[in-house]
Amino acid sequence: YQLGWINCDRWANDPVEKVNYLVDLGTDGEVQLDLIFHKFKSIFPGHSGKPPFLFSNVPVNEKITLVAIKKKKKKLYLAIKETSISSIAERNLVFQEATADVLKEEIKKLDRFN
């Protein structure tokens, strides 16, 4: 709380409409996916046993940024997409190969949401 970030269950009692938001990145490689809310200072990790990733009970129409990091054959790939939460599954993330330094720089840019 002292860092200015919220707990991701903040909207649990909020009457705003909520949906289960799906992000399908396929099964090509090992992937970490996080959802960053623009309005709330929060990062919400995606839960996945198998694709698609599921963000449960999140407020519809909230502006977000999806950040996905994929590891495939010892190479790293990054996809970042600004969008809004909806009941339609997200499928259009574009991965580009990235070094560890590029990943750090791109993640630093996300600090604009706080």
Side-chain angles (χ1 to χ4, degrees):
Y1 181 75
Q2 293 174 348
L3 296 174
W5 288 75
I6 66 160
N7 195 352
C8 287
D9 65 358
R10 171 190 171 140
W11 52 80
N13 295 321
D14 190 330
V16 69
E17 181 184 357
K18 297 172 193 79
V19 294
N20 289 333
Y21 183 57
L22 299 174
V23 181
D24 190 352
L25 302 175
T27 58
D28 191 26
E30 187 181 323
V31 180
Q32 156 101 27
L33 176 67
D34 294 309
L35 181 151
I36 300 172
F37 285 91
H38 293 199
K39 183 177 173 182
F40 312 111
K41 291 173 113 174
S42 64
I43 298 174
F44 199 6
H47 300 286
S48 176
K50 7 179 201 173
F53 283 82
L54 173 64
F55 297 93
S56 298
N57 205 30
V58 289
V60 71
N61 296 325
E62 284 296 329
K63 290 185 180 182
I64 57 167
T65 296
L66 294 168
V67 179
I69 300 172
K70 181 188 324 189
K71 185 177 180 185
K72 182 180 173 188
K73 296 184 182 178
K74 297 186 181 182
K75 291 185 179 183
L76 296 175
Y77 298 85
L78 175 67
I80 297 177
K81 182 174 184 178
E82 289 191 26
T83 188
S84 295
I85 294 174
S86 75
S87 58
I88 299 170
E90 181 65 58
R91 300 181 196 285
N92 300 320
L93 271 72
V94 178
F95 284 90
Q96 296 182 344
E97 189 173 343
T99 64
D101 288 337
V102 167
L103 286 175
K104 288 177 189 176
E105 286 301 313
E106 291 299 317
I107 299 300
K108 233 186 238 185
K109 290 178 186 176
L110 298 172
D111 199 33
R112 71 183 182 273
F113 298 122
N114 71 19

